[in-house]
Structures are given as structure tokens and as C-alpha cells.
Amino acid sequence: MTLIYSEDDSTKTATIAVSGKITKEDYDAAITPMQAFIDKHGSVNFIEIVESFAGFEPSIIWPGLKFDMANLKHIDRVAVVSDIGWISPITKATGYFMSTKLRMFDMSELEEAQAWVRSSA
């Protein structure tokens, strides 16, 4: 699996770790618990750790957009953690169009990213 999902109820923080290509199977395995986590807590935070990224299957584009549109208002903070150079400018550009607080961190700053996300809990 290239997408690993975990939750911390005490801080209302979910973590998504990506390594490789995201398949429909990966997406389906993560989206149901993500939705349940949001439904349970109302307002949540995410940490996205991108170790490597080889794209995603096109079949997850539309379901992903629908999930984002329905849930973005329930996501307070997102920390994106990666050393992949092109992810930082895309993350920053995306942040301008969202009410969610979005911040980029290098892999060496993982603990700082976790602290920043959880500071809103």
C-alpha cells in the first residue's frame, strides 16, 4: 500500500503517509475512515507526509474533489511534510484558495509540523 492512514482522537489529527502511486484501492481504504473521523469530531486537522509520489489513478480525481468540497470546511489545519521540491509551491498556491490553514514543512521538520497542527486542538 502506498497510502497509510492513521488517527489520533485525543488531538483530532489524522495522518496520511504517501509513498509511490496512489491507487483506487488505496484511496477507497482511506476515505471511509477519514469521513468517519471528520463526522465524529466535526473539526479536524491533517498531517500529510509525502515521502515519494508517483501520481495517482485518474479514477480517484472526481471522488477526491467531491470529498474535498464536502469536508474542507471541517478541516482546520493541514501540514504537508515533504522534501519533494515541486510540492512546496503547489501547496502554497493551493493555500491561497482555501479557508483551511495550510503549511509546508521539510521532512526534517516533522515534529514541528505535528506541533503546529496540534496547536489548534
Side-chain angles (χ1 to χ4, degrees):
M1 183 185 290
T2 59
L3 190 147
I4 299 170
Y5 174 78
S6 61
E7 302 170 348
D8 181 352
D9 282 321
S10 66
T11 62
K12 300 180 188 178
T13 301
T15 301
I16 304 162
V18 176
S19 180
K21 183 175 183 174
I22 302 171
T23 65
K24 177 99 168 77
E25 181 180 287
D26 295 330
Y27 176 83
D28 289 343
I31 202 70
T32 300
M34 275 200 262
Q35 186 64 62
F37 189 70
I38 292 168
D39 292 345
K40 177 180 181 178
H41 294 289
S43 179
V44 299
N45 300 305
F46 282 96
I47 300 171
E48 297 179 14
I49 303 169
V50 185
E51 294 178 16
S52 66
F53 184 70
F56 52 84
E57 292 181 0
S59 61
I60 67 173
I61 293 172
W62 182 242
L65 287 171
K66 289 193 309 187
F67 175 85
D68 290 347
M69 296 302 290
N71 290 294
L72 207 51
K73 62 186 172 257
H74 302 291
I75 301 170
D76 186 44
R77 289 183 180 207
V78 176
V80 179
V81 183
S82 183
D83 286 338
I84 301 171
W86 59 266
I87 289 181
S88 181
I90 289 175
T91 298
K92 290 176 183 172
T94 302
Y96 289 118
F97 300 102
M98 299 170 39
S99 60
T100 299
K101 296 173 192 81
L102 182 64
R103 190 167 161 199
M104 185 71 204
F105 297 86
D106 292 332
M107 291 297 280
S108 63
E109 300 172 311
L110 178 58
E111 288 181 14
E112 182 182 340
Q114 292 167 330
W116 177 76
V117 162
R118 292 176 177 145
S119 69
S120 75

